[in-house]
């Protein structure tokens, strides 16, 4: 059994944190500006985490060495 990497769970947590910062941005202008800067890195990480997971589940290239 492979060890769990938690990449999808971290991606979901980052998206929820970004949503919280956007909600906080309604009340605080600096929080909205920070959310704007964080949007691209958070979505890039989330897209990568879910895309890599989908590719490997569909029989994508395996990086394991055959035994």
């Amino acid at each position: 059994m492979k060890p769990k990497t938690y990449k999808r769970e971290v991606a979901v947590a980052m998206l929820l944190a970004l949503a919280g910062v956007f909600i906080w941005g309604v009340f605080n202008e600096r929080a909205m500006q920070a959310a704007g800067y964080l949007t691209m890195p958070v979505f890039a990480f989330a897209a990568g985490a879910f895309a890599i997971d989908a590719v490997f589940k569909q029989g994508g290239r395996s990086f394991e060495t055959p035994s």
Side-chain angles (χ1 to χ4, degrees):
M1 187 170 163
K2 295 181 189 178
K4 190 159 176 69
T5 61
Y6 296 102
K7 61 184 169 286
R8 290 178 296 162
E9 289 82 357
V10 171
V12 169
M14 289 174 66
L15 289 170
L16 290 174
L18 181 64
V21 173
F22 268 112
I23 292 170
W24 184 23
V26 171
F27 306 106
N28 186 342
E29 180 63 32
R30 293 190 65 172
M32 185 60 79
Q33 187 178 15
Y37 290 123
L38 293 174
T39 301
M40 182 61 188
V42 169
F43 273 99
F45 180 84
F50 288 108
I52 289 171
D53 184 58
V55 167
F56 285 137
K57 284 184 178 176
Q58 293 177 5
R61 182 177 170 189
S62 176
F63 292 104
E64 295 179 3
T65 57
S67 51

